[in-house]
Amino acid sequence: MHNILLMSDEARSAFIAMKSREEHKLAACCEPRDADIFWLRFERYFEDLYYPLIKVYGDYEDAIEQFRILFDHMVEAYAARPQALRLLDLERQFTPQWFQQPNMVGYTCYADLFADNLNGVREKISYFQELGITYLHLMPLLEPSPGLSDGGYAVKNYRKVNPELGTMSDLRQLANELHDCGISLCLDLVLNHTAKEHEWAQRAMAGEEEYLDYYYTFGDRTLPDAYEQTLPEIFPNDAPGNFTWYPQMASKGRWVWTTFNEFQWDLNYTNPTVFREMVDLMFFLANQGADVLRFDAIPFIWKRLGTNCQNQPEVFQLIQAFRAIMRVVAPGMILKAEAIVPPDALLQYLGVKSTVEKQCELAYNNQLMVVLWSSLATRNVSLMTQVFHDLPRTMIGCAFINYVGNHDDIGWAMTDEALAAVGENGFLHRQFLNQFYTDTYPDSFAKGTLFQFNPETKDARITGTTASLAGLEKALATGDSNKIDLAVRRILLLHSIILGFGGIPLIYMGDELGVLNDFSYLSDPLKAGDSRWIARSPMDWSKAAKRHDPNTVEGKIFQGLVHLIKVRKSTSLLHCFSYFQPMWTDNEHILAYCQKRAEGTLMVLANFQSTEQSVTAKMLEYGGLIGKIRNLLANNVSPIIANERIYLQAYETMWLVSDEFTLF
Ligand code: OTU
């Protein structure tokens, strides 16, 4: 073992003390070779675990005891890890770039909406395979609170599958079969809050001191009022404020910190027991066969007076410790940050400077999603190009999750700085986008609804399915085949960008078939108050049945996606560890960027206008492409160049390569 030589003196002595104290435990429950592997990993990740925990919990009276329990649980979880998953751990340690490969293509769905339950999903694996999916994110599937549960993001029992969906054994069977088919499974870990029906919350409610300390509760308004000074409201319409009064709590009544809905109680991570409990749940889900854990609402897990209580330094310390622990026990599983935060803050979730390769491996690329929709409305790519210039160029050991549609809303989170850089006013631009996507702007093609409109600030977000927002709903209503064609092209255009980008593209259920807004949620009292349900409709398998008919809208979108995915998978230049080079063009409707690697350059050109457009052919040279140019998306046919310009059809995307190239 040599990693010990790299440790600081302090860490080394702590490691040696721990090892001599605990070695017998591993020896008692593992084969000698497995125990060796554990110690090799523990030594490698010891500092990543030790320092953050010392920083966050070092002064806590109970800290030493908590570390000891944590270590015992690591050993138990390691010993309990199924053989097949241990093999996967080793395999992925040999291939740490497994999730950065162009063959990664994701799909998100709700098990019940997609196929009734987990066994139903298992029976539909061939559908994923037909599309080319290698990563499946199943929306929250653990036992939720009864009644309102925020789509499952209020968990009552993290160790039990929602009985309506199946059992833990069904989940394991599904994970196994997905693995056999080369598909990774992503599960949610709702770690900022539990349901108010969770056992911990119930015991806190009953006044048990130990469990009151699992949450943030207050006897009066003094601290809540002080925090509210700087706290934003996440759901201002449905759940105003960040605290809820529970008159029955601990006999006299208490205020509970509830960032989201009143039934979602924020956990208190200043208490190391909470940290440890969450680690136990990670072990549990890892050992069921999860390949990726989605850290829901991760920015919120640490509170600090006088701040917005998001992205606090302790959040990153805790992620570092989570990751180090998982690298020892279940290194085949990686972590995904669900952090819908400004770009600078977002990068921290993937690791910057000394935290590179110490944070989450994955994070949602909310910026890309937002500028895609913005550019579709304005038909102008300046803002997108500007935002791309601010994205990191090289992402070691991590990847963005690139997406078009999702189960939440679109919040116009581009920064005012990025907007100002392209001559736009932030407030006015957001107002325009809200009008455009609710069809109150002249000539809009979109049909969406407002979400969480705040009359004071005029702030609002947008909900709607990808197809409805991209114009398919209005086009179908007119029956105009030209408009329908343009809408289909828009849907494919947006997907061609997420599929032609470094990172993992994630397709949202139904988008592959052009599913429209569904207003049936309005007649369900448990959903009517939340317009995000407009894009959470049951899978329409009669639409899916049309996916092979090229004369149908469904067939055009589905086959269009299959084609994009196929080409993506065969393009090594789309490895996410490519050098990403955004480029300005001489046509504000045409987006350009390159993905460069030692073996060549891929240049993406995409037309965001509904008419034919051209761009100077010099772009090829600027990007380093020389000689005969092939468009991978058009069966390797060369693009049409006339008058030294490259012509792109309405909403067309080209993926251009050359057999000859200059590297930079
Ligand atoms: C997430 O989203 C989930 O995606 C939502 O479906 C949940 O309602 C929510 O957490 C609570 O569990 O505010 O509008 O920076 O923005 O966590 C969506 C992250 C949300 C938050 C995000 C949250």
Side-chain angles (χ1 to χ4, degrees), residues 117-133:
N117 53 36
L118 295 179
N119 288 334
V121 173
R122 192 159 48 77
E123 280 157 23
K124 295 282 186 205
I125 289 178
S126 59
Y127 181 79
F128 302 130
Q129 288 180 306
E130 190 184 325
L131 197 51
I133 298 306

Side-chain angles (χ1 to χ4, degrees), residues 330-345:
M333 189 180 75
I334 57 172
L335 309 175
K336 172 164 76 167
E338 192 260 332
I340 311 303
V341 296
D344 288 354

Side-chain angles (χ1 to χ4, degrees), residues 408-654:
D408 278 332
D409 48 285
I410 307 176
W412 303 115
M414 54 287 265
T415 61
D416 283 344
E417 291 77 16
L419 281 159
V422 294
E424 295 281 357
N425 170 292
F427 176 78
L428 294 176
H429 188 66
R430 290 188 190 94
Q431 293 299 308
F432 157 73
L433 290 169
N434 281 333
Q435 287 174 14
F436 189 90
Y437 282 109
T438 50
D439 194 19
T440 47
Y441 192 86
D443 284 338
S444 164
F445 49 71
K447 275 250 173 259
T449 56
L450 283 186
F451 180 65
Q452 305 296 324
F453 174 65
N454 183 336
E456 268 172 50
T457 58
K458 300 248 183 315
D459 225 18
R461 283 120 78 178
I462 290 291
T463 55
T465 66
T466 294
S468 289
L469 295 176
L472 189 58
E473 188 172 331
K474 279 186 87 171
L476 287 171
T478 63
D480 180 332
S481 60
N482 186 36
K483 286 189 176 149
I484 296 171
D485 176 56
L486 287 176
V488 169
R489 284 168 184 251
R490 284 188 206 103
I491 295 167
L492 291 173
L493 167 74
L494 297 180
H495 284 92
S496 76
I497 306 297
I498 63 159
L499 284 156
F501 218 80
I504 303 182
L506 191 59
I507 297 168
Y508 182 65
M509 72 179 276
D511 284 356
E512 76 279 18
L513 299 169
V515 165
L516 304 180
N517 290 338
D518 177 0
F519 288 93
S520 62
Y521 76 98
L522 289 170
S523 54
D524 180 342
L526 290 178
K527 295 177 181 164
D530 188 341
S531 71
R532 290 177 297 175
W533 285 96
I534 200 171
R536 301 174 185 173
S537 52
M539 185 74 173
D540 183 345
W541 288 101
S542 66
K543 274 176 96 62
K546 299 187 200 149
R547 69 187 183 276
H548 302 125
D549 180 349
N551 297 317
T552 62
V553 165
E554 292 80 1
K556 284 184 184 132
I557 301 174
F558 192 91
Q559 295 309 329
L561 281 177
V562 166
H563 175 63
L564 283 164
I565 291 170
K566 231 188 192 153
V567 179
R568 171 189 164 86
K569 287 186 173 182
S570 62
T571 307
S572 68
L573 297 166
L574 286 170
H575 188 289
C576 91
F577 193 38
S578 295
Y579 180 86
F580 173 65
Q581 184 187 14
M583 299 165 88
W584 294 99
T585 67
D586 63 359
N587 182 335
E588 64 186 20
H589 307 299
I590 297 185
L591 175 76
Y593 61 87
C594 288
Q595 297 280 149
K596 297 188 167 190
R597 279 170 72 80
E599 70 262 32
T601 293
L602 171 79
M603 177 179 275
V604 174
L605 295 179
N607 178 11
F608 276 71
Q609 178 59 291
S610 56
T611 52
E612 186 186 59
Q613 294 292 320
S614 71
V615 68
T616 172
K618 284 218 162 46
M619 290 306 293
L620 300 169
E621 201 182 300
Y622 299 154
L625 291 181
I626 50 174
K628 187 170 152 42
I629 310 295
R630 298 183 284 122
N631 179 2
L632 299 178
L633 290 180
N635 298 319
N636 289 317
V637 171
S638 302
I640 296 172
I641 300 183
N643 307 323
E644 313 254 309
R645 296 189 73 77
I646 307 173
Y647 286 82
L648 288 94
Q649 307 276 301
Y651 298 123
E652 183 182 2
T653 298
M654 293 177 172

Side-chain angles (χ1 to χ4, degrees), residues 65 81 93 97 128 132 150 190 260 285 309 320 369 463 479 552 569 599 636 661:
E65 174 61 7
R81 188 146 171 87
Q93 286 192 303
Q97 299 182 356
F128 302 130
D150 188 18
V190 187
F260 295 91
L285 294 174
C309 296
Q320 184 169 326
M369 184 273 278
T463 55
T552 62
K569 287 186 173 182
E599 70 262 32
N636 289 317
F661 63 94

Side-chain angles (χ1 to χ4, degrees), residues 150 153 193 234-235 260 264 294 296-297 299-300 338-340 407-409 461 532:
D150 188 18
Y153 283 107
H193 44 263
I234 307 298
F235 296 145
F260 295 91
Q264 291 162 305
R294 174 187 180 276
D296 182 60
F300 298 83
E338 192 260 332
I340 311 303
H407 72 287
D408 278 332
D409 48 285
R461 283 120 78 178
R532 290 177 297 175

